[in-house]
Amino acid sequence: MDHGTVGSAQSGRLLVEVREEGSSAVVTPAGELDHHTADLLREPIDDLLGKGFSRLVVDCSRLEFCDSTGLNVLLGTRLKAEAAGGGVHLAGMLPVVARVFEITGAGAVFTVHDRVEEALADTADTADTADSGDTADTDDSGDSDDRAD
């Protein structure tokens, strides 16, 4: 795995670290994600998407607060990543941040994992499936084998 550090940005209340993990990137915001700090997360994410990283993991284990502006950054990131053939996985959410996602219903549109390693494994599995073009097994008649036995 490539553990190269792509960069970081910091204000008094938010530090954002970015690192490459193979064909995925891990973004770790630490501190408070709100109206005043949202661009510190948005800019490195936009840079990653611009470099072709469409499979992103956001490590939320150090995110202490997230308001509606921060949530909108993550939702916008999800749309951009999906449009590029990837996705956004969230990992390690603290209860106070998980509650925001629960209240707003935003948790239903993200794949959420307990740990970054699980999210990375899931993004790799998703990439493997997308790369191979497999969506469902078919038999000789062309029928799908997705039925319960």
Side-chain angles (χ1 to χ4, degrees), residues 5 15 38 51 61 67-68 76 82-83 92 99 104 113 118-119 129 144:
T5 299
L15 168 68
K51 292 178 183 176
S61 64
D67 74 357
S68 60
E82 287 181 356
R99 182 76 175 132
T104 61
H113 303 272
E118 294 168 5
T129 301
S144 177

Side-chain angles (χ1 to χ4, degrees), residues 12-148:
R13 297 186 341 210
L14 186 73
L15 168 68
V16 178
E17 297 175 351
V18 178
R19 72 180 190 274
E20 298 173 7
E21 293 279 347
S23 62
S24 298
V26 178
V27 180
T28 306
E32 300 176 8
L33 177 57
D34 59 22
H35 172 75
H36 300 286
T37 61
D39 283 338
L40 288 172
L41 181 60
R42 184 182 295 113
E43 290 169 3
I45 285 175
D46 286 347
D47 289 345
L48 287 168
L49 291 168
K51 292 178 183 176
F53 286 95
S54 62
R55 292 185 296 273
L56 305 176
V57 173
V58 180
D59 178 359
C60 299
S61 64
R62 295 170 47 204
L63 188 59
E64 300 165 1
F65 176 80
C66 181
D67 74 357
S68 60
T69 305
L71 186 60
N72 282 327
V73 169
L74 294 171
L75 289 167
T77 297
R78 177 186 152 268
L79 293 175
K80 292 174 189 175
E82 287 181 356
V88 175
H89 293 245
L90 306 178
M93 269 198 262
L94 298 176
V96 68
V97 174
R99 182 76 175 132
V100 171
F101 281 77
E102 178 185 335
I103 290 169
T104 61
V109 300
F110 288 98
T111 304
V112 180
H113 303 272
D114 290 334
R115 297 179 21 245
V116 171
E117 295 78 15
E118 294 168 5
L120 285 168
D122 198 16
T123 61
D125 290 345
T126 303
D128 291 343
T129 301
D131 291 344
S132 68
D134 293 340
T135 55
D137 293 330
T138 57
D139 61 20
D140 292 334
S141 67
D143 295 332
S144 177
D145 283 341
D146 290 341
R147 62 186 171 270

